[in-house]
Amino acid sequence: MSIYALIVLLPLIGAFIAGFFGRSIGDRASQIVTCAGMAGALILSIMVFVQVALGGDAFTIRLFTWVISGDFVVDWALRFDTLTAVMLIVVNGVSTMVHVYSIGYMSHDDAKPRFMAYLSLFTFFMLMLVTADNLLQLFFGWEGVGLASYLLIGFWYHKDSANAAAMKAFIVNRVGDVGFALGIMAIFFLFGTVSFDEIFARAPEMVGQQFSFIGIEADALTIAAILLFIGAMGKSAQFMLHTWLPDAMEGPTPVSALIHAATMVTAGVFLVCRMSPLFEYAPLALDIVAFVGATTAIFAATVGLTQFDIKRVIAYSTCSQLGYMFFAAGVSAYGAAMFHLFTHAFFKALLFLGAGAVIHAMSDEQDMRKMGGIWKKIPITYAMMWIGSLALAGVPFFAGMYSKDIVIEAAYAAHSTIGQYAFWMGVIAAFLTAFYSWRLIIMTFHGKPRASAEVMSHIHESPNVMLIPLYVLAVGAVFSGYLGYGYFVGDEREAFWGASLFVLNDTIEAAHHVPLWVKLLPIVVGLVGIGFAYVCYMFFPIIPAISSSLFGPIYRFFYNKWYFDELYDRIFVKPSLYLGFGFWKAGDGNLIDGVGPDGVAGLTKDLSGWVSRLQSGYLYHYAFVMLVGVVIFITWYLLTLAG
Amino acid sequence: MLISDIQTVLPEIFLAVVGMGLLIYGVFIGDKSMRQVSWLTVFALITAAAMLYVFGSTGEPEIAMNGLFISDAFAHYAKLFILLGAALAVVMSVDFMEREQIIRFEFPILILYASLGMMMMVSANDLMSLYIALELQSLPLYVVASIRRDSLRSTEAGLKYFVLGALSSGMLLYGCSMIYGFTGSTNFDAIAAAVAAGGVSTGLVIGIVFLMAGLAFKVSAAPFHMWTPDVYEGAPTPVTALFAVAPKIAAIALFSRVMISPFGEAIEAWQQVVILISILSMALGSIAAIAQTNIKRLMAYSSIGHMGFALVGLAAGTETGIRGVMIYMAIYLFMNVGTFAIILSMRQQGRMVEGINDLAGLSKTSPGMALALTIFMFSMAGIPPLAGFFSKLYVFSAAIEAGLVTLAILGVIASVIGAFYYLRIIKVMYFDAPVEPIDDDMPRETKAIMAVTAFVTLFFFIWPSPIVDGAAQAASVLFGG
């Protein structure tokens, strides 16, 4: 057993100590233990990255056998290849920063050890997910992060909205997980194993295999891949299964940064990349991935335009960026998808933590309409938000530009209908991204103060324990694109990725040879978007009001998130409630209780009253009953025995 | 009459003579002698019980009086509990009668003669002695039911009991005459021989059914139970306590002997009827009791139900079945005497109360009483490890052994339904707020009886062999083993 197993175990140990002994060892000790565990894991992760990704020396640690049931054998094993190494850097890097940041952010909370324990527990599950050597172990991590997400969204369990959001996240993810579980079963059915190596080795043999799924004879690999992708859609909040992500902002902001921006929501992208040898042989599934990704990118961007909650804007932005990653994967540009995942983790975590600093400064205010005019009071946070937004908008030389451009170029280079669709959606979404990013900055920091005087008087820069993580992430947001470009999608990509990604048609190579206008377009629309935001919100603040009344229906459509919540409420939630209510009242209450216990009891009581009334008190009734009894007994005998 | 006959019948003769002596004594002294006469009666009953074992310890069947009278282990076992039940009823009555101003020295003497009748019932070996014994038992009971002459309810109870009792005696006699007509004898052994030789004719079966109707009336089994609630409610409570125990044991014992000894070969002829009576009694006892608000009426239905359960054992018609019946009756005695000890003490500011709701909050005002009553109620509901569970267990397992699975299942269902009203009493005692506390002035003797019976009910399972072995011996002697 290698020392690298500690990468996974350290967070678990931290969670265990802080979770079970947090009360006795105290807040400070819990924070130190969990942060130290994360720091250790981060250092080891960097070592792994150097050895595996840069050194090209992938390895697997077998821990022990988990399940043996007939042909079904599953090991606990930690797989370290480049894909995993990248994720390790992302997960442990962001998680460590978030752990440190939380010391400051949660300083007023009563349950610090619990929070730290949950964070570390989440990290453990996430690491299990990315180091998994087989689908079942991946599923273990997958469900584990879902659990941790549920616990953290509902961390402030005294808030009804937090509980509701936690449940919503869990339930919507369940829809995706059904698909994922079915996908695993389909793969086991096809391959007879859930181990990645064996699946990947035999994937080419399975091309053209058919099997029957819910009565439809279909291509087996396509079905399996689509089912897996449904799981990914749930976890990564893709179009139609995205509704839980904005609500998940009920959780504390560090949680949003870690889980709902940098790590857990990218698990779906990771899954698709990890299963690239499978998806490559299922082109239809890839098209679906690209289509859903592109649609999500544009959909979430339009909604992000209209929201007023600072965290929700960033949440929709995350949703949109995840869409980019998916359509990159969908056009076989897995390297680009992972590159965007990598850079996005830094600048989106930065944005979230920056937003957290703003919220912290504004006495827990999240509505941008009640902010404004604070940039001079919190200049460092303001600068950090600028860096994050510049990266997000894809302004040249910031990380986002490198990754977003290659994604969009790859879509164009795919030369397919879906690719074109994704390309144009990506470009429009890039414009919208820049626009809403500066809308956020201007509304939050500029203009006249719209908060109360009391709140304004309390505004203060965050403590260093919160700022230092911001600096670290800002460095990532600035340089990760430039530094990573060559490895992830540039000339060294084949050596870098090694066997961990598999492509039939190298879209990324084609992406490097697209026309110049394609390369420039995302940057141009990004800059135009920024300028447009300045015009609308800084110089002529009347414009948004006019346009929202002018395009009332469209505005309301966007503002209400395309009415997805209402739609689901009508289609799924209400009918389920009615059905449940019906089963409860009519089925259980009236039928089972009514006929069963209550009915029998009632009947017995009625009978009792009836029998008691027979007891009339009149002698001749009594005598009559006795005589009738004798007559019946004799008749009975004569009929049954003598007859 | 031989000397050995006298020895066999000595306990009965002793009781008869003592009864006459006490009567003369009472007439001389007057009603104020009641307390003395009562205790002397108790003493006489206990002495008679002792004599059973001194003079008939072998348990082997001894026939006396030209075949009219039989003394065997079965009779001894039943008589022991009859005498115990009667003695306890007398003990509990003394204080009560004085308080209620029903001071009549005849009362204990009547009970003594009724007990004599019961003893003769279980020793009857001939239809003639059976009838005589039954009437000797019944007549004093009619009188004691209406002992409170100035109470409308008491006299009504006595009268009802008398009229219906007469009707049942008529049926019984009619059955006897049919049996005599079809077998040519009134002696049990001769009837048994006739049945074995000549089979069962329709006329004989009609005779058996009429005989069973008379006996079922005495055990207050449905549908011959109608008198029970009214008489239980109307009669003074010590009389009810007596009714609930001693005559039931005697009647069930007689029922068992008549069915097994002379008609054992004709089991097909009566088994169906016993099953039917048993089911009806169990169902009625369980269901009708739920609607009751008066605890004495409730106990009436409870006893109807218990007779149904006991008859399950008889319906099996096997040795284990009869053993079950005898165990059932012994345990029934302890549970019922204990419960009535409490009912007898239900007074609010010196006034008798009989409502179930008057027990509200008993757990707070008289925790000891509440605990004892809880034990009895749980036991009657058949909750392990209390004695009442085992009594049901023995009869049900006997029924299943005999292939009467449906009967056993119906019995268990009835027992579940019945559990409701037993548990309700516990609920009322423990969870309802007291309206008016029950007086805490239980007489010493009653308290002792309550404690001992609760103790026996609670710890029966630790040392069950006295009751179980006795019952086994009693049952085996009935089957000629």
Side-chain angles (χ1 to χ4, degrees):
Chain A
M1 193 151 121
S2 154
I3 189 165
Y4 292 128
L6 283 178
I7 293 178
V8 176
L9 290 178
L10 281 176
L12 180 65
I13 294 165
F16 183 80
I17 294 173
F20 289 104
F21 306 104
R23 268 165 202 267
S24 42
I25 62 175
D27 293 349
R28 181 57 64 187
S30 304
Q31 288 162 344
I32 290 171
V33 165
T34 47
C35 289
M38 283 316 304
L42 178 59
I43 292 164
L44 288 169
S45 301
I46 293 169
M47 288 162 62
V48 167
F49 187 79
V50 170
Q51 181 187 340
V52 174
L54 303 182
D57 174 26
F59 61 95
T60 299
I61 304 170
R62 299 218 168 276
L63 297 177
F64 51 89
T65 303
W66 182 12
V67 178
I68 301 178
S69 172
D71 296 338
F72 186 68
V73 180
V74 184
D75 284 338
W76 284 110
L78 305 178
R79 177 190 181 95
F80 291 99
D81 57 11
T82 307
L83 196 59
T84 301
V86 170
M87 289 305 286
L88 287 180
I89 294 291
V90 170
V91 172
N92 282 333
V94 177
S95 183
T96 309
M97 293 309 120
V98 167
H99 270 78
V100 174
Y101 179 89
S102 298
I103 295 174
Y105 190 83
M106 301 300 281
S107 59
H108 303 306
D109 204 275
D110 295 332
K112 296 183 195 80
R114 183 162 66 95
F115 185 75
M116 301 310 282
Y118 284 171
L119 279 185
S120 282
L121 184 70
F122 165 79
T123 312
F124 161 71
F125 281 123
M126 192 68 207
L127 293 169
M128 285 310 297
L129 194 162
V130 299
T131 57
D133 184 49
N134 57 62
L135 280 169
L136 200 66
Q137 191 181 339
L138 196 150
F139 192 65
F140 168 79
W142 190 270
E143 293 300 307
V145 291
L147 166 73
S149 164
Y150 166 81
L151 291 173
L152 283 165
I153 296 169
F155 182 76
W156 287 315
Y157 53 80
H158 45 81
K159 271 167 67 183
D160 286 342
S161 57
N163 287 329
M167 278 161 60
K168 188 172 179 182
F170 206 77
I171 292 165
V172 175
N173 266 296
R174 216 100 305 266
V175 178
D177 291 348
V178 170
F180 190 24
L182 285 175
I184 294 174
M185 290 171 208
I187 285 175
F188 180 71
F189 179 74
L190 276 177
F191 293 90
T193 176
V194 291
S195 163
F196 287 144
D197 289 332
E198 293 174 49
I199 295 169
F200 297 162
R202 289 172 47 203
E205 303 165 19
M206 296 295 167
V207 176
Q209 283 261 17
Q210 304 274 309
F211 74 17
S212 171
F213 179 70
I214 47 174
I216 306 162
E217 195 72 17
D219 183 62
L221 278 182
T222 307
I223 292 291
I226 290 173
L227 287 171
L228 290 180
F229 178 60
I230 289 173
M233 278 171 71
K235 194 84 10 193
S236 295
Q238 289 302 286
F239 190 62
M240 295 194 293
L241 292 180
H242 65 278
T243 53
W244 64 271
L245 184 58
D247 288 20
M249 298 302 128
E250 287 292 340
T253 308
V255 173
S256 310
L258 175 62
I259 301 182
H260 306 121
T263 56
M264 185 186 83
V265 289
T266 62
V269 181
F270 168 78
L271 177 69
V272 173
C273 294
R274 169 62 84 206
M275 301 306 289
S276 58
L278 196 75
F279 276 86
E280 280 299 294
Y281 292 106
L284 178 64
L286 274 183
D287 284 352
I288 291 174
V289 172
F291 177 77
V292 171
T295 308
T296 310
I298 187 77
F299 151 76
T302 58
V303 177
L305 289 180
T306 58
Q307 299 301 306
F308 290 110
D309 185 312
I310 186 168
K311 281 176 72 182
R312 276 177 183 257
V313 174
I314 309 177
Y316 277 105
S317 163
T318 305
C319 200
S320 171
Q321 299 302 311
L322 289 166
Y324 277 96
M325 298 173 208
F326 273 108
F327 78 67
V331 296
S332 298
Y334 303 103
M338 287 306 296
F339 189 30
H340 197 51
L341 187 159
F342 184 69
T343 58
H344 173 259
F346 291 105
F347 61 72
K348 192 49 68 66
L350 175 65
L351 280 172
F352 261 120
L353 294 185
V358 171
I359 294 165
H360 199 64
M362 297 289 291
S363 311
D364 295 331
E365 181 57 62
Q366 301 196 10
D367 192 333
M368 295 192 294
R369 283 169 297 190
K370 295 180 183 159
M371 297 180 182
I374 57 173
W375 69 277
K376 280 183 186 152
K377 298 200 173 194
I378 45 173
I380 301 174
T381 308
Y382 177 61
M384 292 301 135
M385 290 298 279
W386 259 88
I387 294 173
S389 297
L390 286 168
L392 175 61
V395 171
F397 313 115
F398 286 88
M401 183 207 78
Y402 295 96
S403 58
K404 192 192 281 184
D405 283 9
I406 192 69
V407 166
I408 293 176
E409 287 158 17
Y412 181 85
H415 294 299
S416 61
T417 322
I418 290 286
Q420 286 299 310
Y421 171 75
F423 170 70
W424 287 109
M425 290 300 125
V427 169
I428 300 170
F431 168 76
L432 297 175
T433 304
F435 181 79
Y436 66 64
S437 296
W438 262 263
R439 172 178 176 267
L440 184 148
I441 285 189
I442 296 164
M443 283 187 81
T444 307
F445 293 99
H446 295 275
K448 288 199 184 74
R450 294 182 293 274
S452 65
E454 202 208 331
V455 170
M456 290 303 286
S457 66
H458 282 124
I459 290 178
H460 55 88
E461 194 61 85
S462 300
N464 277 333
V465 73
M466 285 168 71
L467 290 179
I468 289 167
L470 290 182
Y471 301 149
V472 175
L473 291 170
V475 170
V478 176
F479 297 108
S480 63
Y482 171 73
L483 293 176
Y485 189 80
Y487 294 113
F488 280 83
V489 292
D491 298 334
E492 290 158 69
R493 65 180 182 279
E494 278 176 20
F496 179 75
W497 291 113
S500 63
L501 291 180
F502 174 81
V503 281
L504 289 175
N505 300 312
D506 194 353
T507 333
I508 292 175
E509 185 57 39
H512 290 307
H513 306 293
V514 292
L516 188 63
W517 68 269
V518 173
K519 285 181 185 284
L520 289 179
L521 192 59
I523 300 170
V524 172
V525 296
L527 292 173
V528 170
I530 294 170
F532 201 58
Y534 267 100
V535 171
C536 287
Y537 288 91
M538 194 83 155
F539 307 132
F540 303 102
I542 195 77
I543 292 177
I546 293 172
S547 63
S548 64
S549 61
L550 206 58
F551 304 104
I554 299 178
Y555 172 77
R556 279 196 296 280
F557 184 64
F558 289 170
Y559 182 69
N560 288 306
K561 304 157 254 179
W562 295 27
Y563 294 104
F564 263 105
D565 279 332
E566 288 73 9
L567 198 68
Y568 285 175
D569 196 54
R570 213 48 77 69
I571 299 177
F572 300 113
V573 179
K574 284 272 162 58
S576 306
L577 267 180
Y578 285 133
L579 199 67
F581 200 79
F583 278 137
W584 169 36
K585 286 289 182 191
D588 191 50
N590 291 346
L591 201 72
I592 296 178
D593 270 2
V595 176
D598 289 357
V600 171
L603 185 74
T604 313
K605 233 175 156 184
D606 292 349
L607 257 174
S608 174
W610 188 70
V611 172
S612 299
R613 272 199 298 284
L614 275 185
Q615 200 76 31
S616 59
Y618 294 117
L619 257 184
Y620 55 90
H621 284 173
Y622 297 1
F624 178 72
V625 170
M626 285 169 66
L627 290 172
V628 167
V630 171
V631 170
I632 288 174
F633 288 149
I634 289 175
T635 316
W636 170 278
Y637 168 75
L638 291 178
L639 287 180
T640 57
L641 294 169
Chain B
M1 204 191 316
L2 300 166
I3 294 297
S4 68
D5 281 6
I6 293 173
Q7 195 178 342
T8 309
V9 195
L10 195 58
E12 281 82 1
I13 292 176
F14 168 76
L15 272 189
V17 171
V18 168
M20 282 184 263
L22 286 174
L23 198 57
I24 294 166
Y25 179 74
V27 168
F28 267 102
I29 308 287
D31 280 339
K32 65 176 178 290
S33 67
M34 190 187 91
R35 182 168 277 271
Q36 295 166 348
V37 173
S38 294
W39 283 110
L40 285 171
T41 302
V42 171
F43 182 71
L45 291 169
I46 291 169
T47 311
M51 289 165 88
L52 284 174
Y53 282 85
V54 173
F55 297 105
S57 57
T58 58
E60 288 303 307
E62 295 171 37
I63 308 276
M65 306 288 184
N66 296 323
L68 288 175
F69 190 95
I70 184 167
S71 175
D72 55 13
F74 181 79
H76 288 167
Y77 184 85
K79 281 175 189 174
L80 180 70
F81 287 106
I82 290 167
L83 291 168
L84 181 62
L88 292 175
V90 174
V91 171
M92 291 194 294
S93 72
V94 178
D95 194 75
F96 182 91
M97 297 309 242
E98 280 180 355
R99 276 187 191 229
E100 295 290 308
Q101 300 295 312
I102 321 172
I103 303 172
R104 305 192 181 288
F105 73 89
E106 294 95 337
F107 178 72
I109 299 172
L110 285 167
I111 292 181
L112 185 139
Y113 276 110
S115 308
L116 176 61
M118 294 174 212
M119 289 173 75
M120 288 167 65
M121 274 163 73
V122 296
S123 280
N125 195 37
D126 189 291
L127 292 174
M128 296 310 286
S129 56
L130 179 152
Y131 180 69
I132 296 297
L134 211 60
E135 288 304 311
L136 178 55
Q137 179 243 188
S138 298
L139 284 169
L141 291 185
Y142 300 148
V143 178
V144 291
S146 48
I147 190 102
R148 189 186 254 171
R149 280 186 311 199
D150 47 359
S151 155
L152 203 62
R153 288 201 321 182
S154 179
T155 44
E156 185 191 328
L159 190 63
K160 272 182 184 169
Y161 190 26
F162 174 66
V163 173
L164 293 173
L167 179 63
S168 81
S169 290
M171 287 195 217
L172 185 126
L173 273 181
Y174 180 69
C176 291
S177 66
M178 293 284 279
I179 292 164
Y180 175 66
F182 281 90
T183 58
S185 174
T186 56
N187 185 278
F188 286 177
D189 302 325
I191 293 171
V195 170
V200 187
S201 61
T202 306
L204 178 59
V205 167
I206 293 174
I208 294 175
V209 171
F210 269 96
L211 177 66
M212 284 165 75
L215 293 171
F217 176 86
K218 293 297 172 199
V219 299
S220 73
F224 311 100
H225 65 282
M226 302 288 273
W227 61 276
T228 323
D230 292 8
V231 172
Y232 271 44
E233 191 186 354
T237 311
V239 177
T240 312
L242 175 73
F243 277 12
V245 181
K248 293 283 190 292
I249 299 175
I252 276 279
L254 174 61
F255 206 156
S256 304
R257 189 192 286 283
V258 173
M259 289 300 110
I260 301 299
S261 297
F263 301 116
E265 297 286 326
I267 182 161
E268 303 84 20
W270 54 263
Q271 192 179 33
Q272 292 280 325
V273 177
V274 174
I275 290 173
L276 221 65
I277 291 177
S278 163
I279 292 173
L280 279 174
S281 304
M282 290 189 295
L284 188 113
S286 303
I287 291 169
I290 290 173
Q292 305 309 320
T293 52
N294 180 297
I295 196 159
K296 279 162 76 182
R297 269 190 103 79
L298 182 108
M299 289 307 290
Y301 285 107
S302 161
S303 77
I304 294 169
H306 280 300
M307 289 308 119
F309 290 117
L311 287 176
V312 169
L314 178 57
T318 58
E319 198 176 319
T320 47
I322 298 301
R323 185 187 67 154
V325 175
M326 297 325 282
I327 295 170
Y328 201 102
M329 293 318 292
I331 290 171
Y332 171 81
L333 177 140
F334 288 105
M335 297 189 302
N336 252 28
V337 166
T339 309
F340 272 101
I342 291 164
I343 296 175
L344 276 166
S345 315
M346 278 173 63
R347 288 166 199 281
Q348 287 171 345
Q349 296 174 348
R351 188 170 40 80
M352 275 302 293
V353 291
E354 297 175 351
I356 292 170
N357 287 333
D358 294 322
L359 289 169
L362 190 69
S363 63
K364 302 205 177 55
T365 53
S366 321
M369 217 162 130
L371 179 68
L373 191 52
T374 304
I375 292 171
F376 297 131
M377 291 298 118
F378 270 134
S379 175
M380 288 200 188
I383 290 167
L386 299 172
F389 165 72
F390 290 98
S391 58
K392 286 198 173 73
L393 180 70
Y394 283 115
V395 290
F396 287 151
S397 60
I400 289 169
E401 272 176 40
L404 304 175
V405 179
T406 318
L407 179 64
I409 291 172
L410 287 174
V412 171
I413 292 173
S415 140
V416 169
I417 299 173
F420 169 80
Y421 58 82
Y422 296 125
L423 295 179
R424 190 180 58 170
I425 292 177
I426 297 172
K427 177 240 164 198
V428 166
M429 288 193 299
Y430 280 88
F431 300 111
D432 289 5
V435 184
E436 202 180 334
I438 298 283
D439 294 352
D440 197 13
D441 60 348
M442 206 186 233
R444 243 179 321 136
E445 304 86 29
T446 315
K447 203 174 260 178
I449 289 171
M450 179 186 86
V452 170
T453 49
F455 183 83
V456 172
T457 309
L458 187 55
F459 293 111
F460 165 79
F461 71 98
I462 292 175
W463 196 42
S465 55
I467 289 176
V468 173
D469 294 349
Q473 202 194 350
S476 77
V477 85
L478 206 55
F479 283 84

